[in-house]
């Protein structure tokens, strides 16, 4: 059986045990491995899929520890690139991402962000692969990474490999003079599966949005609008076969209301609404959703089952500390 390849930057998450880095009486810091594509790889592996993960790692002990952890999840990392001097990090200025605290990225000059087309043997990269997953975080790093990704996507498409994308939008990353709408459409052109939300789709693909929407807007209204957005995306991107949208709303730190929609060219489906006031860690819930979406499609489930698996996986991640989920749905 051929494998899913997830391609993206490995990251280290640094997080205070309180809602301040310096006011805690014990001045303690938690550290987790992560990164969107690594999170998806873990989710898929735990669900039982065959997965490869490729990123760029410097030659140091920290890299070895992360790679051993990925191997323990059953993830093939034999194609990782050994290049550069550092792993990118991000810092949560709130405990477990449960408050409105900011995220600080420290990813400039990371090993992955400095990759060039010449560093990648694309035939080796794609060998034994029938699915390639990437996220919008990669072209957000710099224009060179957008070019690297375009090169890989072109080759994957030519080989008949299915391609999925997560339209995760991080405004703090798009800092090199280009807007997502300048870069993303030509990359998404190669994608069979597109996951995001109606706001990210507007930012990155130019679909319509209603500026009056908020957390008080009814689910019925959102589901209807998601169906309309899916039609827009299908019209703009002939390669697209599957679209999914997430809806997540927060009233207080440990609260989360979560549902999703799924669309193909003949049908639409939506999940039940999940709600909890016991959130442990919401970081990575979108990646868990993405893993469930890929898994459901690869297992050839029907429309309702696909969105139920994806949304269930995203919800289950809310109760797992760290970036990685537990593969449950």
């Amino acid at each position: 059986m051929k494998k899913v390849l997830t391609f993206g930057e490995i990251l280290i998450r640094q997080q205070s045990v309180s809602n301040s880095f310096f006011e805690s009486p014990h001045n303690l810091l938690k550290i987790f491995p992560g990164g969107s594509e690594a999170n998806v790889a873990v989710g898929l592996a735990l669900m039982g899929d065959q997965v490869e993960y490729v990123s760029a790692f410097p030659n140091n002990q920290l890299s070895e520890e992360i790679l051993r952890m990925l191997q323990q999840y059953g993830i093939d990392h034999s194609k990782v690139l050994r290049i550069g001097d550092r792993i990118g990090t991000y810092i949560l200025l709130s405990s477990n991402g449960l408050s409105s605290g900011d995220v600080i990225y420290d990813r400039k000059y990371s090993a992955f962000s400095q990759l060039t087309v010449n560093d990648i043997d694309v035939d080796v990269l794609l060998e034994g692969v029938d699915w390639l997953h990437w996220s919008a975080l990669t072209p957000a790093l710099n224009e060179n990474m957008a070019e690297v990704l375009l090169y890989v996507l072109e080759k994957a498409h030519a080989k008949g490999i299915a391609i999925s994308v997560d339209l995760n939008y991080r405004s703090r990353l798009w800092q090199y003079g280009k807007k997502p709408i300048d870069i993303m459409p030509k990359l998404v052109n190669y994608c069979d599966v597109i996951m995001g939300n109606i706001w990210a789709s507007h930012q990155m693909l130019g679909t319509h949005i209603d500026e009056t929407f908020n957390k008080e807007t009814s689910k019925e209204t959102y589901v209807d609008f998601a169906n309309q957005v899916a039609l827009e995306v299908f019209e703009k991107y002939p390669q697209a076969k599957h679209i999914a949208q997430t809806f997540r709303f927060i009233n207080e730190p440990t609260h989360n209301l979560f549902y999703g929609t799924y669309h193909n060219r003949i049908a639409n489906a939506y999940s039940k609404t999940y709600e909890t006031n016991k959130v442990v860690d919401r970081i990575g819930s979108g990646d868990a959703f993405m893993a469930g979406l890929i898994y459901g499609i690869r297992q050839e489930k029907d429309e309702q089952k696909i969105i139920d698996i994806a949304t269930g996986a995203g919800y289950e991640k809310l109760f797992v500390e760290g970036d990685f989920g537990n593969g449950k749905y």
Side-chain angles (χ1 to χ4, degrees):
M1 181 180 180
K2 291 192 173 183
K3 298 179 180 179
V4 177
L5 168 66
T6 71
F7 176 71
E9 184 168 21
I10 191 69
L11 292 172
I12 296 169
R13 163 177 159 187
Q14 302 179 45
Q15 167 195 310
S16 172
V17 298
S18 69
N19 284 330
S20 169
F21 257 58
F22 302 112
E23 294 177 4
S24 168
H26 304 295
N27 197 25
L28 298 177
L29 183 70
K30 289 186 176 182
I31 300 176
F32 301 95
S36 181
E37 295 81 4
N39 299 344
V40 172
V42 169
L44 282 168
L46 289 172
M47 290 176 188
D49 223 328
Q50 298 296 306
V51 188
E52 294 183 350
Y53 174 65
V54 173
S55 189
F57 288 80
N59 284 306
N60 60 38
Q61 186 61 33
L62 189 56
S63 296
E64 299 309 317
E65 289 194 28
I66 295 172
L67 290 170
R68 279 197 298 272
M69 182 177 292
L70 293 173
Q71 188 170 359
Q72 289 171 359
Y73 283 104
I75 296 167
D76 182 347
H77 57 71
S78 60
K79 298 176 185 174
V80 298
L81 302 166
R82 296 293 193 161
I83 191 172
D85 299 315
R86 64 185 298 265
I87 296 173
T89 68
Y90 74 99
I91 301 168
L92 281 184
L93 298 182
S94 62
S95 180
N96 298 343
L98 296 183
S99 75
S100 58
D102 287 338
V103 172
I104 296 175
Y105 291 107
D106 182 16
R107 302 171 71 166
K108 197 170 186 179
Y109 307 120
S110 68
F112 184 82
S113 70
Q114 296 185 87
L115 285 177
T116 70
V117 169
N118 293 332
D119 294 317
I120 299 172
D121 185 331
V122 75
D123 290 322
V124 171
L125 180 73
L126 300 174
E127 184 179 0
V129 169
D130 65 1
W131 191 294
L132 169 66
H133 175 68
W134 62 284
S135 83
L137 299 174
T138 295
L141 295 174
N142 55 60
E143 196 160 8
N144 181 66
M145 286 309 305
E147 292 173 1
V148 167
L149 194 52
L150 180 62
Y151 171 69
V152 172
L153 294 176
E154 287 174 343
K155 298 296 185 181
H157 177 70
K159 291 175 179 288
I161 293 170
I163 300 172
S164 59
V165 61
D166 183 346
L167 302 179
N168 33 18
Y169 176 61
R170 304 290 185 271
S171 60
R172 290 180 179 85
L173 290 181
W174 291 89
Q175 298 297 323
Y176 60 93
K178 297 288 186 179
K179 296 179 179 179
I181 195 66
D182 300 325
I183 300 294
M184 289 297 294
K186 65 182 178 182
L187 300 175
V188 173
N189 238 0
Y190 294 97
C191 293
D192 302 272
V193 180
I194 302 169
M195 191 281 270
N197 59 55
I198 58 174
W199 298 275
S201 181
H202 171 67
Q203 290 280 354
M204 297 189 174
L205 306 181
T207 54
H208 290 90
I209 195 67
D210 187 327
E211 300 290 351
T212 68
F213 284 167
N214 57 41
K215 63 183 179 182
E216 305 301 328
T217 302
S218 70
K219 180 178 180 179
E220 180 181 15
T221 299
Y222 274 131
V223 168
D224 181 64
F225 192 81
N227 294 342
Q228 296 175 46
V229 169
L231 287 175
E232 275 192 79
V233 175
F234 281 133
E235 185 175 345
K236 288 173 179 274
Y237 300 95
Q239 182 67 22
K241 302 175 182 66
H242 309 269
I243 296 169
Q245 313 272 8
T246 61
F247 295 88
R248 292 179 280 178
F249 303 102
I250 304 162
N251 291 324
E252 56 188 49
T254 57
H255 174 264
N256 210 102
L257 186 148
F258 191 14
Y259 57 90
T261 65
Y262 167 81
H263 320 266
N264 57 36
R265 291 185 178 268
I266 59 173
N268 301 300
Y270 60 90
S271 75
K272 71 178 185 180
T273 300
Y274 291 85
E275 188 168 13
T276 182
N277 286 293
K278 298 180 180 180
V279 174
V280 172
D281 190 334
R282 64 172 52 93
I283 304 297
S285 61
D287 301 321
F289 180 101
M290 185 80 239
L293 177 67
I294 295 171
Y295 179 78
I297 293 170
R298 284 173 65 80
Q299 293 294 314
E300 299 182 347
K301 303 295 186 182
D302 63 32
E303 295 87 358
Q304 190 61 54
K305 189 63 175 176
I306 288 171
I307 193 58
D308 288 345
I309 292 172
T311 312
Y315 178 73
E316 288 290 337
K317 169 59 191 72
L318 298 174
F319 311 103
V320 182
E321 188 177 29
D323 281 39
F324 297 161
N326 59 12
K328 294 180 180 180
Y329 54 85

